[in-house]
Amino acid sequence: MSAPGKTPRRTNKLSFGSSPVPARTPKPSTIYEVARLAGVSHQTVSRYLKRNGGLKPQTVAKVEDAMARLDYTPNLAARALRSKQSYRILIVTPEDVRFPASRVLRSAVSTADEAGYVTEVVQIGTEASKASDRLLSLVSTERLAGIFSLIPLGPVEEQITSKHSDIPLVVAANYDEKMRARGFLADATPAAEMIEHLASLGHRSFYHVGGPELWTSAANRRKTYDATIARLGLHSAGSVVGDWSMLSGYRAGLEIPLDDGPITAVFAANDHMAIGVIRALHERGKRVPEDVSVFGWDNLEEGEYFIPSLSTVSMDLEAAGRNSMRELISRVRNEPSSPHGYEFTPMRLIFRESTAKAPTPASD
């Protein structure tokens, strides 16, 4: 009983015996409440959520403001049931997601999220048969809108497209940031420019440490390397295939035939392998760049602080992820590819301490 003259204080809890019962959690807002607050029809809100386009900017602003004020979150499961469409995208990554791939991944996930899709990341190992079985099992048992892969899928790609032709598949590794696909050398043009630059500094004998053969980017860089060496009348002392890791670059550096001729420049298909090469050359008594120049690809942050700092190629990895995911979403929605064009920052060469003039041949 309350004291005289005082109003009893209300509580939002009910008590039964000694156990307090919390008040009910408010129901989540609905599409109809969003429409009412925005002053539009629920069909308009639905169009916004489906990203069908055609809405005026001021209408989009009203809907987004209402959603923010109501803390509205689309129920993707309910949308899927109503539309009989899936809003889940499977993203395939390697087990070891290195820094360049992580930048592509973050950009792709963000792009899918903005478009109203839920992403599920699955990591696939390097053992081909097990990787293929696992991926095929996932695709067969899950209801997917599309598949986005950061890695080449080899034969399993054809199996997926033949058995599940209704599920669009985009392999980001098959494209450059302009979304130009297999067979194009555009994404490897900087390799030619780097070799031309080193040739102007007196380098005549080169060696190439390439990436895995299944990767289109690695194949393109190897083709550009070979074509540029031939075009300029230079000498290639050979090439070896690595796996993008520092260890594979280190092992390659130990095998470079330095005693067979004056190799003065090494082109590694990525920065990690280039760093491994430099370590191996150091152990073999070769100075970089005084004896051998080394350049890589990707513009990793650690390359800038390595000793010597690494000459490299900077590419817009975020654009690669964003554009590849936009390509997939266009296919999911049966829309023309890139209705608004692809945005990207052009690749560029970055010259640092690991490249310099060719050493002057010792006189007899």
Side-chain angles (χ1 to χ4, degrees):
M1 184 172 180
S2 59
K6 290 188 178 181
T7 303
R9 186 178 61 183
R10 293 190 177 184
T11 178
N12 61 354
K13 294 182 179 180
L14 299 177
S15 295
F16 293 88
S18 59
S19 301
V21 178
R24 293 181 180 177
T25 302
K27 290 183 178 180
S29 301
T30 68
I31 190 174
Y32 298 97
E33 291 171 316
V34 172
R36 190 179 307 115
L37 183 59
V40 298
S41 68
H42 71 273
Q43 291 92 339
T44 296
V45 178
S46 179
R47 283 177 60 194
Y48 170 84
L49 293 173
K50 292 178 180 178
R51 302 298 198 274
N52 284 346
L55 297 178
K56 296 179 180 179
Q58 55 266 37
T59 302
V60 171
K62 288 179 181 178
V63 172
E64 290 179 345
D65 179 65
M67 290 173 62
R69 291 168 62 184
L70 292 171
D71 194 23
Y72 174 78
T73 302
N75 187 324
L76 294 180
R79 283 172 56 193
L81 286 173
R82 288 194 301 269
S83 63
K84 297 184 179 180
Q85 295 178 350
S86 174
Y87 291 88
R88 294 177 60 245
I89 291 176
L90 186 70
I91 298 183
V92 183
T93 72
E95 284 184 327
D96 182 10
V97 183
R98 300 180 186 276
F99 181 65
S102 69
R103 289 169 57 188
V104 176
L105 176 61
R106 285 197 301 269
S107 178
V109 169
S110 176
T111 300
D113 181 65
E114 290 172 2
Y117 290 86
V118 171
T119 53
E120 179 180 342
V121 177
V122 57
Q123 295 179 312
I124 297 295
T126 55
E127 195 170 335
S129 60
K130 289 184 179 179
S132 298
D133 292 344
R134 184 182 178 199
L135 188 53
L136 285 171
S137 175
L138 283 170
V139 176
S140 299
T141 57
E142 302 287 343
R143 189 163 177 242
L144 302 171
I147 304 169
F148 180 93
S149 180
L150 273 71
I151 58 177
L153 297 176
V156 74
E157 180 177 346
E158 185 176 344
Q159 295 179 52
I160 291 174
T161 53
S162 62
K163 293 181 179 180
H164 306 278
S165 58
D166 58 324
I167 304 178
L169 167 66
V170 164
V171 181
N174 289 345
Y175 297 89
D176 65 8
E177 73 270 37
K178 299 179 185 179
M179 286 307 294
R180 292 185 287 200
R182 300 175 190 272
F184 286 89
L185 300 183
D187 67 340
T189 299
E193 296 172 354
M194 180 67 82
I195 293 170
E196 291 168 356
H197 171 75
L198 290 176
S200 74
L201 297 179
H203 293 272
R204 292 293 178 269
S205 185
F206 291 74
Y207 193 83
H208 178 50
V209 180
E213 295 176 336
L214 273 179
W215 290 69
T216 303
S217 56
N220 287 350
R221 291 166 200 175
R222 167 65 185 273
K223 291 176 185 177
T224 300
Y225 167 82
D226 290 339
T228 307
I229 293 292
R231 174 169 57 84
L232 298 179
L234 304 172
H235 173 251
S236 175
S239 62
V240 67
V241 174
D243 62 7
W244 301 126
S245 70
M246 291 186 195
L247 177 60
S248 69
Y250 172 75
R251 288 172 173 167
L254 293 177
E255 299 299 323
I256 294 175
L258 298 174
D259 298 330
D260 297 340
I263 296 173
T264 62
V266 176
F267 164 38
N270 80 337
D271 285 354
H272 279 130
M273 292 192 297
I275 291 172
V277 167
I278 292 174
R279 174 68 192 189
L281 291 174
H282 170 75
E283 291 184 4
R284 298 177 69 182
K286 296 296 181 179
R287 300 167 300 166
V288 177
E290 292 85 354
D291 300 320
V292 182
S293 287
V294 178
F295 70 98
W297 195 294
D298 283 333
N299 191 26
L300 297 185
E301 183 179 10
E302 55 261 44
E304 183 176 358
Y305 297 97
F306 193 70
I307 299 177
S309 57
L310 188 62
S311 294
T312 187
V313 177
S314 175
M315 64 182 298
D316 195 342
L317 295 172
E318 286 75 18
R322 181 170 59 251
N323 294 341
S324 298
M325 182 57 75
R326 285 178 178 173
E327 174 72 16
L328 175 62
I329 291 171
S330 294
R331 297 183 189 182
V332 169
R333 296 174 174 174
N334 293 315
E335 296 175 348
S337 296
S338 181
H340 306 295
Y342 291 121
E343 302 170 357
F344 64 95
T345 301
M347 290 181 283
R348 60 189 177 91
L349 300 179
I350 298 178
F351 297 104
R352 296 195 182 112
E353 297 167 345
S354 68
T355 51
K357 289 183 179 181
T360 303
S363 56
D364 295 332

